Amino acid sequence: MPTFKVAVLEGDGIGPEVVSSALKVLKRLEALSGFSLVFEKALIGGCAIDQKGTPLPQETLELCLRSDAVLLGAVGGPKWDDLPTDKRPERGLLGIRKALDLYANLRPAKVYEPLISSSPLKEEVARGTDFIVVRELTGDVYYGEPRGIFVQEGKRVGINTMKYTEEEIRRVVRKAFEIALQRRKKLTSVDKSNVLEVSSLWKAVVEEEARNYPEVELEHLYVDNCAMQIVRRPSSFDVIVTGNIFGDILSDEAAVITGSLGMLPSASLGDRYALYEPVHGSAPDIAGKGIANPIATILSAGMMLRYSFGLPKEANAVEKAVERVLHRGYRTPDIYSDGCIKVGTDGMTEAIISALEEVWADLS
Ligand code: IPM
Ligand code: MG
């Protein structure tokens, strides 16, 4: 039986609570399926600043480099809000993405039928929404040089640089085409090529790559138009591929139409390493109260089974177990509505684990 080593970075706020839920689910599945997992914990974000003086300690990075996958909770909180940009907990996240070369960030946005009334969109618009944003994660204005606040002729000027090399575009675009092939074979590439040269290059590379994927239907949208179409016709999208900053913004928009940020997982993939984390943040206002929704982190662990360990049956079982508890009416406060069964983090985790046992028995 294969053994996989997982670096576990709980981070701040609700991070430790939701990661603990995901580990319980993985442990149960390990016993059911027969693969074997080794977990090792390390610090990242605010807790790492407090204990080690830096958001991404060297030993954390080394652990990630010798693991098969990384499971991350969340980083940040008000305690560290006054630190300068280059010392903040978020730097830990940006640093690890870059150090592991995690260039493709997959953010699925799925509207679950039992939760459809929590979507801010009309039900008939939201229904059936199931798409995935593939966001480039290691380039763009996030990392481009020069950057900084400089003084020119006695006045301050803030500078960031939007930059993509052709290869950076090509590798993420290929990943997106490959993912589209496994789904409904539709790809939307998002840019701002009516204004930006970087985007003209982006679009040209997408066109070049499209020749290798004739089965995939391709559309190009400007980012402003795409923002609009996501709320007008969300169920028409299958895979959206875009750069780092556009993807940051569009993936939050995609998240909110599903009804709860607490539901959305993510995977950040490179050619050698992979990191899995919920899309939501550290939610300091509810940290330690036992009410955080663990589903996004549990589904992130499911993505780990699929993309890092090649265990699609196990990944499907996790997704089915989550759907089953939602159908049964279990809800953490963030997704609660009248008539449902209100549970905390542990109650939701236990419900998912028992559904997982049933689903597994059905599949076996
Ligand atoms: C995200 C977040 C991060 C980003 C922040 C916390 C640095 O918004 O993962 O989307 O902008 O990438
Ligand atoms: Mg974001």
Side-chain angles (χ1 to χ4, degrees), residues 101-177:
D101 200 19
L102 305 173
Y103 60 83
N105 181 218
L106 280 47
R107 296 188 168 185
K110 179 168 165 158
V111 172
Y112 289 89
E113 191 58 31
L115 296 184
I116 196 156
S117 63
S118 338
S119 172
L121 299 184
K122 290 189 195 119
E123 289 192 11
E124 64 270 27
V125 177
R127 178 158 292 121
T129 295
D130 180 4
F131 67 88
I132 176 160
V133 178
V134 179
R135 165 190 177 194
E136 199 290 330
L137 203 59
T138 50
D140 204 348
V141 72
Y142 270 65
Y143 296 93
E145 297 282 348
R147 65 181 297 158
I149 300 172
F150 305 95
V151 177
Q152 288 176 358
E153 290 163 13
K155 301 263 187 222
R156 283 170 305 162
V157 45
I159 296 180
N160 289 93
T161 302
M162 185 176 262
K163 180 177 159 197
Y164 268 123
T165 67
E166 142 173 37
E167 267 322 301
E168 284 173 322
I169 301 168
R170 197 174 303 281
R171 62 184 187 168
V172 70
V173 165
R174 276 195 190 142
K175 269 239 158 57
F177 271 111

Side-chain angles (χ1 to χ4, degrees), residues 58-310:
Q58 188 59 26
E59 62 256 40
T60 299
L61 194 52
E62 280 165 15
L63 169 67
C64 296
L65 291 170
R66 58 187 151 78
S67 300
D68 296 300
V70 182
L71 182 65
L72 191 143
V75 298
K79 180 171 177 196
W80 306 281
D81 271 354
D82 295 332
L83 293 173
T85 323
D86 62 338
K87 302 233 158 34
R88 291 168 62 96
E90 289 83 351
R91 264 305 141 123
L93 204 51
L94 297 174
I96 204 165
R97 289 171 180 172
K98 194 71 175 170
L100 303 182
D101 200 19
L102 305 173
Y103 60 83
N105 181 218
L106 280 47
R107 296 188 168 185
K110 179 168 165 158
V111 172
Y112 289 89
E113 191 58 31
L115 296 184
I116 196 156
S117 63
S118 338
S119 172
L121 299 184
K122 290 189 195 119
E123 289 192 11
E124 64 270 27
V125 177
R127 178 158 292 121
T129 295
D130 180 4
F131 67 88
I132 176 160
V133 178
V134 179
R135 165 190 177 194
E136 199 290 330
L137 203 59
T138 50
D140 204 348
V141 72
Y142 270 65
Y143 296 93
E145 297 282 348
R147 65 181 297 158
I149 300 172
F150 305 95
V151 177
Q152 288 176 358
E153 290 163 13
K155 301 263 187 222
R156 283 170 305 162
V157 45
I159 296 180
N160 289 93
T161 302
M162 185 176 262
K163 180 177 159 197
Y164 268 123
T165 67
E166 142 173 37
E167 267 322 301
E168 284 173 322
I169 301 168
R170 197 174 303 281
R171 62 184 187 168
V172 70
V173 165
R174 276 195 190 142
K175 269 239 158 57
F177 271 111
E178 294 292 335
I179 291 165
L181 273 184
Q182 319 265 321
R183 296 176 45 106
R184 300 193 305 278
K185 301 190 174 53
K186 204 181 154 201
L187 181 64
T188 305
S189 172
V190 176
D191 64 52
K192 188 72 188 173
S193 55
N194 49 345
V195 179
L196 303 172
E197 285 77 6
V198 186
S199 280
S200 298
L201 179 64
W202 179 280
K203 192 169 178 181
V205 174
V206 171
E207 287 292 335
E208 288 160 25
E209 284 304 314
R211 291 185 208 126
N212 301 323
Y213 300 92
E215 311 91 309
V216 177
E217 184 194 333
L218 173 67
E219 78 174 332
H220 297 278
L221 291 181
Y222 296 140
V223 62
D224 46 352
N225 185 21
C226 182
M228 203 157 66
Q229 300 309 329
I230 283 178
V231 290
R232 280 183 66 194
R233 51 170 178 96
S235 63
S236 76
F237 293 101
D238 180 20
V239 180
I240 294 177
V241 66
T242 190
N244 204 346
I245 186 82
F246 298 157
D248 178 44
I249 299 164
L250 294 179
S251 63
D252 264 24
E253 186 190 10
V256 79
I257 67 176
T258 67
S260 170
L261 204 53
M263 299 287 303
L264 297 179
S266 80
S268 301
L269 310 177
D271 292 326
R272 291 194 54 190
Y273 302 103
L275 179 146
Y276 300 85
E277 59 176 320
V279 167
H280 63 70
S282 59
D285 51 323
I286 59 161
K289 295 189 177 158
I291 57 170
N293 185 348
I295 291 180
T297 314
I298 290 171
L299 290 173
S300 301
M303 293 183 88
M304 175 187 290
L305 296 167
R306 185 181 307 281
Y307 293 107
S308 282
F309 305 157

